[in-house]
Amino acid sequence: MVTLRRAVPADFPEVRRITQEAYQRAGHFAADHPYMSVLEDVEHRAEHAEVWVAEAAGQVAAAVTLTFAGQPYTEIAQDGELEFRMLAVDPAHQGSGVGRAVVRAIIEHARQLHGVEAISITSATFMERAHGLYASLGFRRAPERDWRVPGEDVLLWVFRLEL
């Protein structure tokens, strides 16, 4: 069973490790890529967004950041949308359903929030495993909202789930 909860400062080192390992082992970013410093700054994320962790068998197995329109970590959320970012599953738990459980818990959480009608996410075109997960849970591509990383030749796809 996976439980999702707000991260506390004692979780931050584990969130950092999981995020680093998940992104690097998947080949998404090299250790010296500028975005890795953003991913690693869990303290800043927690100050300006909601960092959540998923526990499986009493251990932190995944982390994700939740944000809303107009907040500092928001990339694409519009009014009435919850955006989640930086979903990372510990490589030791990948393939066990933890990622799916996290996204399902986010969906249930969003349904409880007043004024939230949809969930939006951005995913790099090369994050194919994530795309399959999102599609299987009802997210649909919103290509009219796709965008490019400033200064890089990276296209980011937007997915949206109506609640």
Side-chain angles (χ1 to χ4, degrees):
M1 182 172 150
V2 175
T3 56
L4 196 65
R5 64 170 174 80
R6 284 288 290 265
V8 296
D11 296 319
F12 295 174
E14 194 65 358
V15 170
R16 186 174 2 271
R17 180 195 66 77
I18 288 169
T19 306
Q20 288 169 332
E21 289 183 13
Y23 277 77
Q24 289 175 8
R25 287 190 188 181
H28 297 325
F29 301 104
D32 61 350
H33 189 281
Y35 189 56
M36 286 305 298
S37 64
V38 174
L39 292 171
E40 293 166 352
D41 194 348
V42 181
E43 292 77 7
H44 191 268
R45 268 196 277 159
E47 186 177 331
H48 298 283
E50 297 179 14
V51 177
W52 290 68
V53 294
E55 289 185 337
Q59 294 184 319
V60 174
V64 66
T65 298
L66 306 181
T67 186
F68 301 88
Q71 294 183 338
Y73 271 80
T74 300
E75 291 179 326
I76 57 158
Q78 299 173 348
D79 288 340
E81 290 180 343
L82 166 69
E83 178 179 347
F84 74 85
R85 299 186 53 201
M86 305 173 181
L87 173 60
V89 177
D90 188 330
H93 292 274
Q94 289 179 4
S96 68
V98 169
R100 178 174 300 280
V102 170
V103 177
R104 281 188 172 145
I106 292 168
I107 293 167
E108 290 310 309
H109 174 69
R111 286 187 171 131
Q112 306 305 313
L113 298 175
H114 177 71
V116 173
E117 301 164 356
I119 300 171
S120 61
I121 52 174
T122 294
S123 185
T125 57
F126 52 80
M127 295 181 173
E128 295 167 357
R129 279 183 71 187
H131 302 165
L133 170 64
Y134 303 146
S136 75
L137 292 171
F139 285 82
R140 299 289 170 251
R141 288 262 297 111
E144 69 281 1
R145 293 173 64 184
D146 291 352
W147 57 287
R148 292 193 176 276
V149 176
E152 293 188 40
D153 187 26
V154 176
L155 176 64
L156 298 172
W157 285 352
V158 174
F159 293 81
R160 189 169 190 271
L161 175 69
E162 291 276 341
L163 299 174

